[in-house]
Amino acid sequence: MQEGNQKIKKIGVMTSGGDSPGMNPFIRAVVRASAAYGIKVLGVEGGFEGLIHGKFREMGVRDVGGILQRGGTILQTARSLEFREPSGQREAIRQINNAGMDAIIVAGGDGSLHGAQKLVQKGIPVVGVPASIDNDIYGTDMCIGVDTALNTIVDAIDKIRDTASSHNRAFLVETMGRESGYLAVQAGIITGAELVLIPENKTPPQQVAAAIEEAYRRGKTHAIIVVAEGYEPHTLELGAMIDAMDIGFTTRVTILGHIQRGGKPTAFDRMLATRFGVKAVEFLLAGQTNVMTGLNGREILPIPIDEVISNVKTISADYIQMAQILAR
Ligand code: F6P
């Protein structure tokens, strides 16, 4: 057993915001790496909500057995409105101090990292870990859960294409991504979609209809349009508009919804989550706090949380162009 930084004897670990496949391998890695370094771990149940209400449980190496392959999060998660209030933050700090936590490791998306920053401002050492299927967090190439979600989407679209071709239909398939078209663009490229609609690019419905009609003229037996959740007008509204137009195909809409957040994590997500979990503990031990674990190429770097939350991650223009070039 290695001895860790003397100042870090007990830490909290929590998952927050929308769940993402890989959160369990992350928890396992934090608990087991901490044990190896002689650090006690308290699991915070239900994200920031649990922090406010002192819902903590001691976690030993046996408590995280058999969870590597499970989707969701054994610690549960929440989107806490209470923590946004100064009174909620004050209560959380009181609970952290009462429990004797020297630091906290938080896995979650953009909102959770903003929450983490509130703790930092009140003097609590924090390491953030990016976990969101949207992959919209600045400072990391990939977040926990993205790869699994993408595989779920690809599997669904492959199936939709079968029925679309059989019926000569155009399908609008909605992926998650309230503010980011990352999943939609990636899925569009690797499923060979005819068109991808994302919140970052304004594509008017008339242009969508023209692209579908063009696919029909070229002799395609189907058209797959991948629509990110944040695109406007909403997918159902767009579907009704397109269906009312004469575009060759009849139209159907499939909203993939929360199935994208579930399921067992892929090999990639298990490894990423595990590496992030171990690194988060090691960053704390090395005195690197108030940072997020960021995947940069093959390396995991400590990225200041300040920098993460004050920047916006954009989708590479190359990918958007690739989706367009290949849809013929
Ligand atoms: O995790 C992020 C996200 O998947 C968004 O893409 C989506 O809009 C949102 O979560 C849905 O959240 P909820 O489960 O709270 O409705």
mmCIF file of all heavy atoms in Angstrom, residues 18 79 133-134 176-178 229 258 261, ligand 1:
data_model
loop_
_atom_site.group_PDB
_atom_site.id
_atom_site.type_symbol
_atom_site.label_atom_id
_atom_site.label_comp_id
_atom_site.label_asym_id
_atom_site.label_seq_id
_atom_site.Cartn_x
_atom_site.Cartn_y
_atom_site.Cartn_z
ATOM 1 N N GLY A 18 -27.369 14.485 -15.411
ATOM 2 C CA GLY A 18 -27.884 13.324 -16.142
ATOM 3 C C GLY A 18 -26.905 12.162 -16.026
ATOM 4 O O GLY A 18 -25.696 12.363 -16.127
ATOM 5 N N ARG A 79 -30.618 16.415 -10.545
ATOM 6 C CA ARG A 79 -30.357 17.807 -10.950
ATOM 7 C C ARG A 79 -30.914 18.646 -9.804
ATOM 8 O O ARG A 79 -32.124 18.772 -9.666
ATOM 9 C CB ARG A 79 -31.080 18.131 -12.254
ATOM 10 C CG ARG A 79 -30.629 17.261 -13.441
ATOM 11 C CD ARG A 79 -31.177 17.819 -14.742
ATOM 12 N NE ARG A 79 -31.036 16.882 -15.844
ATOM 13 C CZ ARG A 79 -29.938 16.734 -16.586
ATOM 14 N NH1 ARG A 79 -28.865 17.448 -16.316
ATOM 15 N NH2 ARG A 79 -29.910 15.877 -17.591
ATOM 16 N N ILE A 133 -23.340 12.285 -21.839
ATOM 17 C CA ILE A 133 -23.368 11.698 -23.178
ATOM 18 C C ILE A 133 -23.288 12.773 -24.261
ATOM 19 O O ILE A 133 -22.979 12.482 -25.398
ATOM 20 C CB ILE A 133 -24.603 10.803 -23.411
ATOM 21 C CG1 ILE A 133 -25.897 11.620 -23.382
ATOM 22 C CG2 ILE A 133 -24.645 9.652 -22.423
ATOM 23 C CD1 ILE A 133 -27.077 10.877 -24.005
ATOM 24 N N ASP A 134 -23.561 14.035 -23.890
ATOM 25 C CA ASP A 134 -23.577 15.109 -24.893
ATOM 26 C C ASP A 134 -22.184 15.474 -25.425
ATOM 27 O O ASP A 134 -22.067 16.097 -26.474
ATOM 28 C CB ASP A 134 -24.219 16.374 -24.303
ATOM 29 C CG ASP A 134 -25.696 16.175 -23.984
ATOM 30 O OD1 ASP A 134 -26.262 15.151 -24.418
ATOM 31 O OD2 ASP A 134 -26.268 17.027 -23.299
ATOM 32 N N MET A 176 -30.238 12.759 -28.365
ATOM 33 C CA MET A 176 -30.132 13.739 -27.278
ATOM 34 C C MET A 176 -29.106 14.801 -27.654
ATOM 35 O O MET A 176 -28.317 14.625 -28.589
ATOM 36 C CB MET A 176 -29.759 13.057 -25.980
ATOM 37 C CG MET A 176 -30.981 12.564 -25.229
ATOM 38 S SD MET A 176 -30.595 12.061 -23.552
ATOM 39 C CE MET A 176 -32.247 11.876 -22.891
ATOM 40 N N GLY A 177 -29.096 15.852 -26.917
ATOM 41 C CA GLY A 177 -28.175 16.964 -27.160
ATOM 42 C C GLY A 177 -28.979 18.250 -27.194
ATOM 43 O O GLY A 177 -29.353 18.730 -28.244
ATOM 44 N N ARG A 178 -29.269 18.747 -25.981
ATOM 45 C CA ARG A 178 -30.097 19.947 -25.858
ATOM 46 C C ARG A 178 -29.397 21.149 -26.473
ATOM 47 O O ARG A 178 -29.997 21.967 -27.122
ATOM 48 C CB ARG A 178 -30.357 20.206 -24.373
ATOM 49 C CG ARG A 178 -31.639 20.874 -24.107
ATOM 50 C CD ARG A 178 -32.069 20.841 -22.663
ATOM 51 N NE ARG A 178 -31.060 20.371 -21.708
ATOM 52 C CZ ARG A 178 -31.372 19.795 -20.563
ATOM 53 N NH1 ARG A 178 -32.626 19.584 -20.254
ATOM 54 N NH2 ARG A 178 -30.429 19.438 -19.716
ATOM 55 N N GLU A 229 -31.594 16.983 -30.475
ATOM 56 C CA GLU A 229 -32.710 17.463 -29.647
ATOM 57 C C GLU A 229 -32.859 18.998 -29.634
ATOM 58 O O GLU A 229 -33.969 19.525 -29.630
ATOM 59 C CB GLU A 229 -32.418 16.962 -28.216
ATOM 60 C CG GLU A 229 -33.423 17.255 -27.183
ATOM 61 C CD GLU A 229 -32.907 16.817 -25.804
ATOM 62 O OE1 GLU A 229 -31.806 16.231 -25.690
ATOM 63 O OE2 GLU A 229 -33.622 17.076 -24.839
ATOM 64 N N HIS A 258 -34.348 8.541 -23.721
ATOM 65 C CA HIS A 258 -33.449 8.129 -22.635
ATOM 66 C C HIS A 258 -32.797 6.764 -22.811
ATOM 67 O O HIS A 258 -31.928 6.410 -22.007
ATOM 68 C CB HIS A 258 -34.185 8.206 -21.288
ATOM 69 C CG HIS A 258 -34.388 9.621 -20.837
ATOM 70 N ND1 HIS A 258 -35.374 10.435 -21.367
ATOM 71 C CD2 HIS A 258 -33.715 10.388 -19.950
ATOM 72 C CE1 HIS A 258 -35.309 11.621 -20.801
ATOM 73 N NE2 HIS A 258 -34.305 11.626 -19.935
ATOM 74 N N ARG A 261 -29.138 6.982 -22.656
ATOM 75 C CA ARG A 261 -28.386 7.166 -21.409
ATOM 76 C C ARG A 261 -28.173 5.858 -20.654
ATOM 77 O O ARG A 261 -27.452 5.827 -19.649
ATOM 78 C CB ARG A 261 -29.104 8.189 -20.526
ATOM 79 C CG ARG A 261 -29.041 9.606 -21.055
ATOM 80 C CD ARG A 261 -28.565 10.580 -19.998
ATOM 81 N NE ARG A 261 -29.409 10.586 -18.846
ATOM 82 C CZ ARG A 261 -30.260 11.565 -18.530
ATOM 83 N NH1 ARG A 261 -30.339 12.632 -19.308
ATOM 84 N NH2 ARG A 261 -30.986 11.500 -17.451
HETATM 85 O O1 F6P B 1 -27.294 14.406 -20.045
HETATM 86 C C1 F6P B 1 -27.588 15.475 -20.903
HETATM 87 C C2 F6P B 1 -28.879 15.222 -21.533
HETATM 88 O O2 F6P B 1 -28.801 13.951 -22.027
HETATM 89 C C3 F6P B 1 -29.351 16.156 -22.627
HETATM 90 O O3 F6P B 1 -28.899 15.847 -23.898
HETATM 91 C C4 F6P B 1 -30.843 16.021 -22.492
HETATM 92 O O4 F6P B 1 -31.469 17.139 -23.021
HETATM 93 C C5 F6P B 1 -31.010 15.939 -21.027
HETATM 94 O O5 F6P B 1 -29.896 15.251 -20.556
HETATM 95 C C6 F6P B 1 -32.274 15.276 -20.531
HETATM 96 O O6 F6P B 1 -32.272 15.342 -19.149
HETATM 97 P P1 F6P B 1 -33.378 14.766 -18.197
HETATM 98 O O7 F6P B 1 -33.123 13.307 -18.057
HETATM 99 O O8 F6P B 1 -33.190 15.489 -16.919
HETATM 100 O O9 F6P B 1 -34.701 15.019 -18.839
#
